Amino acid sequence: MKPFAYGKPATTAEAVRAVAAEPSAMFLAGGTNLVDHLKLGVAQPDRVIDVTGLTSAEIRDDDGGLVIGAGVRNSDLAADRRVRERYPVLAEALLSGASPQLRNMATVGGNPLQRTRCVYFQDVTTPCNKRSPGSGCSALGGYTRHHAILGASDQCVATHPSDMAVAMTVLDARVRVVGPSGERVLPYAELHRLPGEHPERDTVLEHGELITDITLPVTSWLRRSAYRKVRDRASYAFALVSVAVGLSISDGRIDDVRLAFGGVAHKPWRALRAEQVLRGSRPSHDVFLAAAEAELSDATPLDGLDGGNAFKIPLAARTLTAVLRDLTAEERGQ
């Protein structure tokens, strides 16, 4: 581990100034991702600024919605009665991530900023454009089972690991950040970015910007929502494919719907094509399958030393149709 200076400012403003002033400085909250990367040599900051206790650890009501402080622990958010009742997709996503011990440490502000679990990114002896821009992508032609089938580039084929972020995307959440230029609010769906020519940038945040809270809007219809995660083992494993769904039905038709995939792209993948097929349709297996096929029509599987990841395409389709089937069982008389 490279030695670094440690700072514990008294205010959020001081923390932002400290990180913004030093190009390699980083924020530290729960540390469930950063500490691993410090040990592996993946992250090599000159200064680490501890923001524990600086951002709110409260969940408060807001005109029917919720405001979640960035310091809220994942376990506390998943256990909150308002979240379980109003936003079941979020509670399910949180409980499917990591282990209870890690959820007790991981924060709502840090969770979306965790970096890919690509084995090449975490192995400093291998070339990786995300870790060292311009060095190459070792995953291409390598081990690709967990890698992207949507939105990748020839610079990076890694996937984003957060379960919570997939659920937040379908909830139309908003993220408040504070930085050197002041405060701004952005849609959660726009927080992460695809790799393009700059895979080293996971999000649209500028250096020194700190997430302070996340707002969930009033979405009573999203009580009919669910998250399903498919992985290699039953616990403490990252998604091969995951699906977050929220929908409402009126007069026997799907009148509104939000869909997102996890485990298939560099960011939570909002399934807009699938939504378009579903919106206004009567729930049926054929409609669900058509929606999945529309969304996955541009999927590009990867070859690899482990057999590649072409299996993700039918797996994503089956997972989506299964979740939709369960959520609409009553309307379909089942």
Side-chain angles (χ1 to χ4, degrees), residues 29 104 114 129 138 141 162 235 259 285:
N104 286 339
Q114 62 182 299
N129 287 321
S138 296
S162 172
S235 67
L259 305 175
H285 176 76

Side-chain angles (χ1 to χ4, degrees), residues 243-318:
V243 174
V245 179
L247 57 82
S248 62
I249 295 179
S250 178
D251 297 325
R253 295 183 182 274
I254 299 172
D255 61 1
D256 208 350
V257 61
R258 299 288 190 280
L259 305 175
F261 285 112
V264 298
H266 200 255
K267 59 179 288 184
W269 186 267
R270 178 73 181 272
L272 296 174
R273 290 181 180 178
E275 291 178 8
Q276 186 174 6
V277 172
L278 292 169
R279 200 168 282 117
S281 300
R282 293 189 180 278
S284 71
H285 176 76
D286 289 343
V287 168
F288 301 158
L289 188 59
E293 289 176 347
E295 193 60 48
L296 297 166
S297 60
D298 290 338
T300 304
L302 298 165
D303 294 327
L305 298 174
D306 50 2
N309 65 2
F311 71 92
K312 280 194 174 189
I313 298 176
L315 180 60
R318 289 195 299 269

Side-chain angles (χ1 to χ4, degrees), residues 72 85 173 231:
V72 171
E85 292 179 356
R231 45 193 164 180

Side-chain angles (χ1 to χ4, degrees), residues 8 12 27-32 50-60 67-78 94 102-113 164 168 175-176 178 210-215:
K8 180 71 168 139
T12 299
F27 294 116
L28 170 70
T32 57
D50 190 343
V51 296
T52 305
L54 298 186
T55 55
S56 171
E58 296 181 348
I59 306 168
R60 59 181 176 85
V67 176
I68 306 162
V72 171
R73 304 293 175 176
N74 282 14
S75 54
D76 292 332
L77 185 61
L94 287 162
L102 288 173
R103 292 196 296 269
N104 286 339
M105 287 298 296
T107 63
V108 171
N111 180 283
L113 303 182
M164 185 192 82
M168 288 288 190
V175 182
R176 186 183 305 276
V178 61
L210 176 69
I211 294 176
T212 58
D213 60 63
I214 296 172
T215 300

